[in-house]
Amino acid sequence: MRAIVVDRLGGPDAIHVGDMPGPVGSHERADGMRVLVDVRAAGLSPIDVLQSRGAYQYGAPPPYAPGSEVAGVVREADPGSGFAPGDRVAGVVFWGALAERCLVAPKYTIRLPGTVSFAEGAAVYLNYSTAWYAYYRAAVQPGQTVLVHGAAGGVGAAVLDLATQFGARAIAVVSSDAKAAFAEQAGAWAVVRSDTNWLERVRELTGGRGVDAVLDPVGGDRFTDSLRALRIGGTLVVIGFVGGGIPEVRVNRLLLRNLTITGISLDTMDQEHPGTLVMVRDAVQRLLDTGMLHPQVGARFPFDRAADAVRLLERGTTIGKVIVDVSN
């Protein structure tokens, strides 16, 4: 089958159009259940950049097809999988979506309503499952205020979109005028610029009290100020480190102000507490079915420019989800 191929761990320059054998067996996270999808669109994420350089903890050895998120039509499905040939679906696959066909795992896969395009579908599962679980882990309550770093990225946009569902006010942290305009359109209650004294502005917006939760996919050198932005008893949710650096914490800050820091790793939690993945998947499915989700498709590339899509993602200037069209 036609595929985008990573044949060495050299970053985007090692990505090219090629051919690969069709998928056999089942997805490694599908518990032996085979569900094969004809791919229509692939969504990219930081996973794709990290894997292409051999820096992702669950990475695939080359040669492999990148593409961490998929939308398409079920071609084959084992009985008991919950899916049938002809179903429109989307989900996170970690790699393999940039090919004519790929395997999916039922626990990581949702159905797409007819009102949702395949490009939009490829922007749903990874971002919204992450965002929903971040709110859940922070135990955000109606009337509370959350601070969102990287608010113009895929996960950040999903966090903004879900604020209404959790009854929260979201303050977006962004780095440019274009990203500020995007965050406002995506549902931010207020927007602050990361290249200004954003901490002081957050304190002004919250009457000096601070926010109830910080949802942070960026990390890096703003982490300490994120702790300072929390109210007494607040929670910081570590989502990722797209800012590059992994911060260290002086725990006396947690002691003196009764702060909580929590990470989110759905796979790890599901191993210890089976049913976590299904809980999150079903929550995202309900919101999608009722028209409550508004996935933000950003840059969109044709199949033969997939390497350019990964390069754009690596530069960190993207707004919304980066999508590659695979087939009509």
Side-chain angles (χ1 to χ4, degrees):
M1 66 178 181
R2 190 166 178 253
I4 301 298
V5 181
V6 177
D7 53 16
R8 58 185 174 84
L9 298 178
D13 290 344
I15 297 173
H16 61 90
V17 179
D19 289 294
M20 297 187 72
V24 297
S26 61
H27 191 283
E28 64 173 22
R29 303 184 187 218
D31 300 322
M33 197 76 64
R34 179 175 172 86
V35 182
L36 182 67
V37 170
D38 288 324
V39 181
R40 299 290 186 264
L44 303 187
S45 75
I47 291 173
D48 295 290
V49 175
L50 293 171
Q51 282 192 136
S52 73
R53 297 194 178 280
Y56 185 61
Q57 62 266 40
Y58 305 119
Y64 72 91
S68 47
E69 202 159 0
V70 67
V73 179
V74 174
R75 183 185 185 98
E76 301 174 20
D78 282 349
S81 67
F83 297 99
D87 286 347
R88 301 174 78 250
V89 297
V92 59
V93 290
F94 302 95
W95 61 83
L98 282 169
E100 291 180 311
R101 298 179 296 281
C102 80
L103 296 166
V104 302
K107 287 191 293 188
Y108 296 84
T109 305
I110 55 176
R111 286 183 171 80
L112 287 183
T115 55
V116 179
S117 70
F118 288 116
E120 292 170 328
V124 171
Y125 191 85
L126 182 59
N127 292 337
Y128 280 96
S129 62
T130 301
W132 189 92
Y133 194 52
Y135 274 105
Y136 176 84
R137 290 288 289 164
V140 172
Q141 301 299 310
Q144 292 187 334
T145 303
V146 300
L147 182 69
V148 187
H149 288 293
V155 172
V159 170
L160 297 179
D161 194 24
L162 288 178
T164 300
Q165 306 308 314
F166 284 86
R169 302 183 304 179
I171 301 175
V173 183
V174 298
S175 60
S176 70
D177 290 341
K179 291 182 178 182
F182 174 86
E184 290 173 354
Q185 183 269 330
W189 171 69
V191 179
V192 298
R193 288 286 294 269
S194 60
D195 55 356
T196 65
N197 190 344
W198 61 266
L199 174 59
E200 185 60 31
R201 180 59 180 146
V202 168
R203 286 171 171 163
E204 291 173 0
L205 289 166
T206 58
R209 188 185 71 164
V211 299
D212 298 280
V214 175
L215 309 184
D216 183 16
V218 176
D221 58 9
R222 68 180 67 174
F223 194 84
T224 297
D225 277 348
S226 291
L227 291 175
R228 291 174 176 144
L230 286 168
R231 64 171 296 184
I232 293 173
T235 300
L236 191 154
V237 181
V238 179
I239 299 174
F241 309 105
V242 297
I246 298 178
E248 297 181 358
V249 179
R250 294 183 62 179
V251 295
N252 64 308
R253 299 184 187 278
L254 313 184
L255 172 67
L256 295 175
R257 300 181 58 241
N258 292 271
L259 303 180
T260 299
I261 298 177
T262 181
I264 55 170
S265 172
L266 276 165
D267 295 328
T268 305
M269 187 62 88
D270 195 69
Q271 293 172 14
E272 185 69 20
H273 300 282
T276 301
L277 282 166
V278 171
M279 174 188 71
V280 176
R281 180 202 64 188
D282 291 350
V284 172
Q285 184 76 70
R286 285 192 298 270
L287 291 168
L288 188 64
D289 288 344
T290 52
M292 305 308 292
L293 302 185
H294 310 90
Q296 300 289 332
V297 174
R300 194 168 171 180
F301 289 80
F303 187 74
D304 59 3
R305 289 189 58 208
D308 290 334
V310 179
R311 288 189 186 96
L312 177 64
L313 195 66
E314 188 169 44
R315 287 200 294 270
T317 58
T318 57
I319 296 177
K321 187 76 169 183
V322 177
I323 300 295
V324 177
D325 294 306
V326 176
S327 65
N328 296 324

